[in-house]
Amino acid sequence: DAGVTQSPTHLIKTRGQHVTLRCSPISGHKSVSWYQQVLGQGPQFIFQYYEKEERGRGNFPDRFSARQFPNYSSELNVNALLLGDSALYLCASSRFSGTRTDTQYFGPGTRLTVL
Amino acid sequence: ILNVEQSPQSLHVQEGDSTNFTCSFPSSNFYALHWYRWETAKSPEALFVMTLNGDEKKKGRISATLNTKEGYSYLYIKGSQPEDSATYLCAFPDPNTGNQFYFGTGTSLTVIP
């Protein structure tokens, strides 16, 4: 079975631009979560979507938005990019939302560099 | 924001050594703790989901224990091999919503051949 896929793998943008990152979950998984990981820190939660509805939002500014499509794939959008947005963005899929024992399966991430 | 801490931050061991590291989490309102292994240039890989106090789980040479009363979990690797070199992360689901996972900063393990 295919795992979680993310595109693109790497991305270079300049300050002020916007970016769209994409994620396809494991087949049968209805929940997608987004995390930001900067060097030296653990992944920080950005959003969770389940059945196309936002189920959780971390402490990130409104420049960050996301959505989930009928096929459960998801996009993360970041507007007005800042240098501090440079990070690895991870997508994770799980079967359900809100079940604390449900394993989240991660994709390989998108490395975003903002110049 | 919940505080999840891991120690040590990094570890270098010789091949064949056994090692262990710690994840500390809030002891109140506990539901589960997740362990992940993250090799360079790969996706984080789920290792264990720990749920019960006193739980011990094993996967090959890797095992984990859980103490929910004092808020910690240990990950043990017996007879470390170079392929065990990775960052080991623990994640604590938000006890109120379950939607948000709080990750520690990880323990970076390097096994020297």
Short mmCIF file of all heavy atoms in Angstrom, two decimals, chain A residues 60-106:
data_model
loop_
_atom_site.label_atom_id
_atom_site.label_comp_id
_atom_site.label_asym_id
_atom_site.label_seq_id
_atom_site.Cartn_x
_atom_site.Cartn_y
_atom_site.Cartn_z
N PHE A 60 -0.84 29.11 15.13
CA PHE A 60 -0.21 29.69 13.94
C PHE A 60 -1.06 30.85 13.44
O PHE A 60 -2.28 30.86 13.62
CB PHE A 60 -0.08 28.62 12.84
CG PHE A 60 1.09 27.70 13.05
CD1 PHE A 60 1.00 26.64 13.92
CD2 PHE A 60 2.29 27.92 12.38
CE1 PHE A 60 2.09 25.80 14.14
CE2 PHE A 60 3.38 27.10 12.59
CZ PHE A 60 3.28 26.04 13.48
N PRO A 61 -0.42 31.84 12.81
CA PRO A 61 -1.17 33.02 12.34
C PRO A 61 -2.13 32.67 11.21
O PRO A 61 -2.04 31.61 10.60
CB PRO A 61 -0.06 33.97 11.88
CG PRO A 61 1.12 33.11 11.60
CD PRO A 61 1.03 31.95 12.54
N ASP A 62 -3.01 33.63 10.94
CA ASP A 62 -4.03 33.42 9.90
C ASP A 62 -3.44 33.32 8.50
O ASP A 62 -4.16 32.98 7.55
CB ASP A 62 -5.04 34.58 9.93
CG ASP A 62 -5.89 34.54 11.18
OD1 ASP A 62 -5.92 33.47 11.84
OD2 ASP A 62 -6.51 35.57 11.50
N ARG A 63 -2.17 33.60 8.37
CA ARG A 63 -1.52 33.42 7.06
C ARG A 63 -1.51 31.95 6.65
O ARG A 63 -1.33 31.62 5.48
CB ARG A 63 -0.07 33.93 7.11
CG ARG A 63 0.09 35.39 7.43
CD ARG A 63 1.56 35.82 7.37
NE ARG A 63 2.40 35.15 8.36
CZ ARG A 63 3.29 34.19 8.08
NH1 ARG A 63 3.46 33.78 6.83
NH2 ARG A 63 4.02 33.67 9.04
N PHE A 64 -1.68 31.09 7.64
CA PHE A 64 -1.72 29.65 7.39
C PHE A 64 -3.18 29.21 7.23
O PHE A 64 -4.02 29.54 8.07
CB PHE A 64 -1.08 28.87 8.54
CG PHE A 64 0.42 29.01 8.62
CD1 PHE A 64 1.01 30.17 9.10
CD2 PHE A 64 1.24 27.97 8.22
CE1 PHE A 64 2.39 30.30 9.17
CE2 PHE A 64 2.62 28.07 8.29
CZ PHE A 64 3.19 29.24 8.77
N SER A 65 -3.44 28.49 6.18
CA SER A 65 -4.78 27.95 5.99
C SER A 65 -4.65 26.59 5.33
O SER A 65 -3.60 26.24 4.77
CB SER A 65 -5.64 28.88 5.12
OG SER A 65 -5.10 28.99 3.82
N ALA A 66 -5.70 25.83 5.39
CA ALA A 66 -5.67 24.50 4.79
C ALA A 66 -7.07 24.11 4.35
O ALA A 66 -8.06 24.76 4.71
CB ALA A 66 -5.11 23.47 5.78
N ARG A 67 -7.12 23.07 3.58
CA ARG A 67 -8.42 22.49 3.23
C ARG A 67 -8.24 21.03 2.89
O ARG A 67 -7.11 20.58 2.60
CB ARG A 67 -9.05 23.24 2.06
CG ARG A 67 -8.22 23.35 0.81
CD ARG A 67 -8.98 24.09 -0.27
NE ARG A 67 -8.17 24.29 -1.46
CZ ARG A 67 -8.66 24.68 -2.64
NH1 ARG A 67 -9.97 24.91 -2.77
NH2 ARG A 67 -7.86 24.84 -3.68
N GLN A 68 -9.35 20.32 2.91
CA GLN A 68 -9.34 18.90 2.57
C GLN A 68 -10.38 18.66 1.49
O GLN A 68 -11.47 19.22 1.54
CB GLN A 68 -9.63 18.04 3.80
CG GLN A 68 -9.45 16.55 3.54
CD GLN A 68 -9.68 15.70 4.79
OE1 GLN A 68 -10.51 16.04 5.64
NE2 GLN A 68 -8.95 14.60 4.91
N PHE A 69 -10.02 17.83 0.56
CA PHE A 69 -10.87 17.58 -0.60
C PHE A 69 -11.69 16.30 -0.41
O PHE A 69 -11.40 15.51 0.48
CB PHE A 69 -10.00 17.49 -1.86
CG PHE A 69 -9.23 18.76 -2.11
CD1 PHE A 69 -7.90 18.88 -1.74
CD2 PHE A 69 -9.85 19.85 -2.71
CE1 PHE A 69 -7.21 20.06 -1.96
CE2 PHE A 69 -9.16 21.03 -2.93
CZ PHE A 69 -7.84 21.13 -2.55
N PRO A 70 -12.71 16.08 -1.28
CA PRO A 70 -13.54 14.89 -1.14
C PRO A 70 -12.76 13.58 -1.16
O PRO A 70 -13.20 12.58 -0.59
CB PRO A 70 -14.51 14.99 -2.32
CG PRO A 70 -14.61 16.46 -2.57
CD PRO A 70 -13.25 17.02 -2.28
N ASN A 71 -11.60 13.56 -1.82
CA ASN A 71 -10.80 12.33 -1.84
C ASN A 71 -9.85 12.27 -0.63
O ASN A 71 -8.97 11.41 -0.59
CB ASN A 71 -10.01 12.21 -3.15
CG ASN A 71 -8.94 13.29 -3.28
OD1 ASN A 71 -8.86 14.21 -2.46
ND2 ASN A 71 -8.13 13.19 -4.32
N TYR A 72 -10.02 13.16 0.31
CA TYR A 72 -9.28 13.24 1.58
C TYR A 72 -7.87 13.80 1.43
O TYR A 72 -7.18 13.94 2.45
CB TYR A 72 -9.25 11.90 2.32
CG TYR A 72 -10.63 11.36 2.57
CD1 TYR A 72 -11.10 10.21 1.93
CD2 TYR A 72 -11.50 12.04 3.44
CE1 TYR A 72 -12.38 9.75 2.14
CE2 TYR A 72 -12.79 11.58 3.64
CZ TYR A 72 -13.22 10.44 2.99
OH TYR A 72 -14.50 9.98 3.20
N SER A 73 -7.44 14.12 0.23
CA SER A 73 -6.16 14.80 0.10
C SER A 73 -6.30 16.21 0.67
O SER A 73 -7.42 16.70 0.92
CB SER A 73 -5.71 14.86 -1.36
OG SER A 73 -6.58 15.68 -2.12
N SER A 74 -5.18 16.85 0.90
CA SER A 74 -5.23 18.13 1.59
C SER A 74 -4.19 19.08 1.03
O SER A 74 -3.17 18.66 0.47
CB SER A 74 -4.99 17.91 3.09
OG SER A 74 -4.96 19.14 3.81
N GLU A 75 -4.45 20.37 1.18
CA GLU A 75 -3.51 21.42 0.83
C GLU A 75 -3.28 22.29 2.06
O GLU A 75 -4.22 22.59 2.80
CB GLU A 75 -4.07 22.31 -0.28
CG GLU A 75 -4.04 21.74 -1.65
CD GLU A 75 -4.57 22.74 -2.69
OE1 GLU A 75 -5.07 23.82 -2.30
OE2 GLU A 75 -4.48 22.40 -3.88
N LEU A 76 -2.03 22.70 2.21
CA LEU A 76 -1.68 23.71 3.20
C LEU A 76 -1.22 24.94 2.44
O LEU A 76 -0.36 24.84 1.57
CB LEU A 76 -0.56 23.21 4.12
CG LEU A 76 -0.03 24.21 5.14
CD1 LEU A 76 -1.06 24.48 6.24
CD2 LEU A 76 1.28 23.71 5.78
N ASN A 77 -1.82 26.07 2.74
CA ASN A 77 -1.45 27.33 2.10
C ASN A 77 -0.84 28.27 3.12
O ASN A 77 -1.34 28.39 4.25
CB ASN A 77 -2.69 27.99 1.48
CG ASN A 77 -3.27 27.18 0.36
OD1 ASN A 77 -2.73 27.17 -0.74
ND2 ASN A 77 -4.35 26.46 0.62
N VAL A 78 0.22 28.92 2.71
CA VAL A 78 0.84 29.93 3.56
C VAL A 78 0.99 31.20 2.73
O VAL A 78 1.62 31.17 1.65
CB VAL A 78 2.21 29.49 4.10
CG1 VAL A 78 2.72 30.52 5.13
CG2 VAL A 78 2.13 28.12 4.73
N ASN A 79 0.40 32.29 3.18
CA ASN A 79 0.48 33.58 2.49
C ASN A 79 1.54 34.47 3.12
O ASN A 79 1.93 34.27 4.27
CB ASN A 79 -0.88 34.29 2.56
CG ASN A 79 -1.94 33.57 1.77
OD1 ASN A 79 -1.65 33.00 0.72
ND2 ASN A 79 -3.15 33.57 2.28
N ALA A 80 1.95 35.47 2.36
CA ALA A 80 2.88 36.50 2.87
C ALA A 80 4.03 35.87 3.63
O ALA A 80 4.26 36.15 4.80
CB ALA A 80 2.11 37.49 3.75
N LEU A 81 4.75 35.02 2.93
CA LEU A 81 5.82 34.24 3.56
C LEU A 81 6.84 35.12 4.27
O LEU A 81 7.24 36.19 3.78
CB LEU A 81 6.52 33.39 2.51
CG LEU A 81 5.75 32.14 2.04
CD1 LEU A 81 6.38 31.57 0.78
CD2 LEU A 81 5.67 31.10 3.16
N LEU A 82 7.26 34.62 5.44
CA LEU A 82 8.32 35.26 6.22
C LEU A 82 9.52 34.32 6.26
O LEU A 82 9.38 33.10 6.06
CB LEU A 82 7.83 35.53 7.65
CG LEU A 82 6.58 36.40 7.80
CD1 LEU A 82 6.15 36.44 9.26
CD2 LEU A 82 6.84 37.79 7.26
N LEU A 83 10.68 34.89 6.57
CA LEU A 83 11.87 34.06 6.67
C LEU A 83 11.67 32.93 7.68
O LEU A 83 12.14 31.81 7.50
CB LEU A 83 13.08 34.90 7.08
CG LEU A 83 13.53 35.97 6.09
CD1 LEU A 83 14.73 36.75 6.67
CD2 LEU A 83 13.91 35.36 4.75
N GLY A 84 10.94 33.24 8.75
CA GLY A 84 10.70 32.27 9.82
C GLY A 84 9.80 31.12 9.43
O GLY A 84 9.64 30.17 10.21
N ASP A 85 9.21 31.19 8.24
CA ASP A 85 8.38 30.07 7.77
C ASP A 85 9.22 28.96 7.16
O ASP A 85 8.70 27.90 6.83
CB ASP A 85 7.36 30.57 6.74
CG ASP A 85 6.35 31.54 7.32
OD1 ASP A 85 6.06 31.44 8.54
OD2 ASP A 85 5.87 32.41 6.58
N SER A 86 10.51 29.21 7.01
CA SER A 86 11.40 28.18 6.49
C SER A 86 11.41 27.00 7.46
O SER A 86 11.72 27.15 8.64
CB SER A 86 12.83 28.73 6.34
OG SER A 86 12.87 29.75 5.38
N ALA A 87 11.06 25.84 6.96
CA ALA A 87 10.90 24.68 7.83
C ALA A 87 10.60 23.46 6.98
O ALA A 87 10.40 23.57 5.76
CB ALA A 87 9.75 24.89 8.82
N LEU A 88 10.53 22.32 7.65
CA LEU A 88 10.02 21.09 7.03
C LEU A 88 8.55 20.98 7.40
O LEU A 88 8.20 21.06 8.58
CB LEU A 88 10.79 19.88 7.54
CG LEU A 88 10.38 18.52 6.97
CD1 LEU A 88 10.78 18.42 5.49
CD2 LEU A 88 11.01 17.38 7.77
N TYR A 89 7.70 20.84 6.41
CA TYR A 89 6.26 20.71 6.66
C TYR A 89 5.86 19.26 6.46
O TYR A 89 6.01 18.69 5.38
CB TYR A 89 5.48 21.65 5.75
CG TYR A 89 5.66 23.09 6.17
CD1 TYR A 89 6.75 23.82 5.73
CD2 TYR A 89 4.77 23.69 7.06
CE1 TYR A 89 6.95 25.13 6.15
CE2 TYR A 89 4.96 25.00 7.48
CZ TYR A 89 6.06 25.70 7.02
OH TYR A 89 6.25 26.99 7.45
N LEU A 90 5.37 18.68 7.53
CA LEU A 90 5.00 17.27 7.53
C LEU A 90 3.49 17.12 7.49
O LEU A 90 2.76 17.87 8.14
CB LEU A 90 5.51 16.59 8.80
CG LEU A 90 7.02 16.43 8.93
CD1 LEU A 90 7.39 16.10 10.37
CD2 LEU A 90 7.52 15.35 7.99
N CYS A 91 3.07 16.14 6.75
CA CYS A 91 1.66 15.77 6.70
C CYS A 91 1.53 14.40 7.33
O CYS A 91 2.40 13.52 7.13
CB CYS A 91 1.20 15.75 5.25
SG CYS A 91 -0.44 15.05 4.99
N ALA A 92 0.47 14.18 8.09
CA ALA A 92 0.23 12.88 8.70
C ALA A 92 -1.21 12.48 8.46
O ALA A 92 -2.11 13.33 8.54
CB ALA A 92 0.52 12.93 10.20
N SER A 93 -1.43 11.21 8.16
CA SER A 93 -2.81 10.76 8.01
C SER A 93 -3.13 9.72 9.07
O SER A 93 -2.26 9.02 9.59
CB SER A 93 -3.06 10.21 6.60
OG SER A 93 -2.59 8.88 6.44
N SER A 94 -4.40 9.66 9.43
CA SER A 94 -4.89 8.66 10.37
C SER A 94 -6.32 8.31 9.98
O SER A 94 -6.95 9.01 9.19
CB SER A 94 -4.81 9.18 11.81
OG SER A 94 -5.51 10.39 11.96
N ARG A 95 -6.79 7.21 10.55
CA ARG A 95 -8.13 6.76 10.16
C ARG A 95 -9.20 7.70 10.67
O ARG A 95 -10.19 7.99 9.98
CB ARG A 95 -8.37 5.35 10.72
CG ARG A 95 -7.55 4.27 10.04
CD ARG A 95 -7.73 2.96 10.74
NE ARG A 95 -7.30 3.03 12.13
CZ ARG A 95 -7.58 2.13 13.06
NH1 ARG A 95 -8.32 1.08 12.76
NH2 ARG A 95 -7.14 2.27 14.30
N PHE A 96 -9.03 8.15 11.91
CA PHE A 96 -10.07 8.91 12.58
C PHE A 96 -9.52 10.24 13.08
O PHE A 96 -8.34 10.54 12.94
CB PHE A 96 -10.63 8.10 13.76
CG PHE A 96 -11.05 6.72 13.38
CD1 PHE A 96 -10.37 5.62 13.87
CD2 PHE A 96 -12.11 6.51 12.52
CE1 PHE A 96 -10.74 4.34 13.52
CE2 PHE A 96 -12.49 5.23 12.17
CZ PHE A 96 -11.80 4.14 12.67
N SER A 97 -10.38 10.98 13.73
CA SER A 97 -9.99 12.23 14.37
C SER A 97 -10.37 12.15 15.83
O SER A 97 -11.45 11.65 16.17
CB SER A 97 -10.73 13.40 13.72
OG SER A 97 -10.59 14.57 14.47
N GLY A 98 -9.49 12.62 16.69
CA GLY A 98 -9.84 12.72 18.09
C GLY A 98 -9.65 11.45 18.90
O GLY A 98 -9.88 11.45 20.10
N THR A 99 -9.24 10.36 18.25
CA THR A 99 -8.96 9.14 19.02
C THR A 99 -7.48 9.14 19.34
O THR A 99 -6.64 9.00 18.46
CB THR A 99 -9.32 7.88 18.24
OG1 THR A 99 -8.69 7.94 16.95
CG2 THR A 99 -10.81 7.77 18.04
N ARG A 100 -7.17 9.29 20.57
CA ARG A 100 -5.81 9.55 21.00
C ARG A 100 -4.88 8.36 20.79
O ARG A 100 -3.67 8.51 20.85
CB ARG A 100 -5.82 9.99 22.47
CG ARG A 100 -6.63 11.28 22.67
CD ARG A 100 -7.21 11.33 24.06
NE ARG A 100 -8.09 12.48 24.26
CZ ARG A 100 -9.37 12.50 23.93
NH1 ARG A 100 -9.92 11.44 23.36
NH2 ARG A 100 -10.10 13.57 24.16
N THR A 101 -5.43 7.21 20.56
CA THR A 101 -4.61 6.02 20.34
C THR A 101 -4.41 5.71 18.86
O THR A 101 -3.71 4.76 18.52
CB THR A 101 -5.24 4.80 21.02
OG1 THR A 101 -6.58 4.64 20.51
CG2 THR A 101 -5.31 4.97 22.54
N ASP A 102 -5.03 6.48 18.00
CA ASP A 102 -4.93 6.22 16.57
C ASP A 102 -3.57 6.69 16.06
O ASP A 102 -3.20 7.85 16.25
CB ASP A 102 -6.05 6.99 15.85
CG ASP A 102 -6.36 6.45 14.48
OD1 ASP A 102 -5.92 5.32 14.16
OD2 ASP A 102 -7.02 7.17 13.70
N THR A 103 -2.83 5.81 15.42
CA THR A 103 -1.49 6.16 14.94
C THR A 103 -1.57 7.15 13.79
O THR A 103 -2.41 7.02 12.89
CB THR A 103 -0.76 4.89 14.48
OG1 THR A 103 -0.59 4.03 15.60
CG2 THR A 103 0.61 5.22 13.90
N GLN A 104 -0.71 8.14 13.82
CA GLN A 104 -0.58 9.06 12.70
C GLN A 104 0.60 8.59 11.85
O GLN A 104 1.69 8.35 12.35
CB GLN A 104 -0.33 10.48 13.19
CG GLN A 104 -1.53 11.06 13.95
CD GLN A 104 -1.47 12.57 14.11
OE1 GLN A 104 -0.44 13.19 13.91
NE2 GLN A 104 -2.60 13.16 14.45
N TYR A 105 0.37 8.47 10.56
CA TYR A 105 1.39 8.02 9.61
C TYR A 105 1.86 9.24 8.83
O TYR A 105 1.05 9.94 8.22
CB TYR A 105 0.82 6.96 8.67
CG TYR A 105 0.44 5.69 9.40
CD1 TYR A 105 -0.82 5.55 9.96
CD2 TYR A 105 1.36 4.66 9.53
CE1 TYR A 105 -1.17 4.40 10.64
CE2 TYR A 105 1.01 3.49 10.21
CZ TYR A 105 -0.25 3.38 10.76
OH TYR A 105 -0.59 2.24 11.44
N PHE A 106 3.17 9.43 8.83
CA PHE A 106 3.72 10.65 8.28
C PHE A 106 4.25 10.47 6.86
O PHE A 106 4.75 9.40 6.49
CB PHE A 106 4.88 11.15 9.16
CG PHE A 106 4.41 11.81 10.42
CD1 PHE A 106 4.12 11.06 11.54
CD2 PHE A 106 4.26 13.18 10.47
CE1 PHE A 106 3.69 11.67 12.71
CE2 PHE A 106 3.82 13.81 11.63
CZ PHE A 106 3.54 13.05 12.75
#
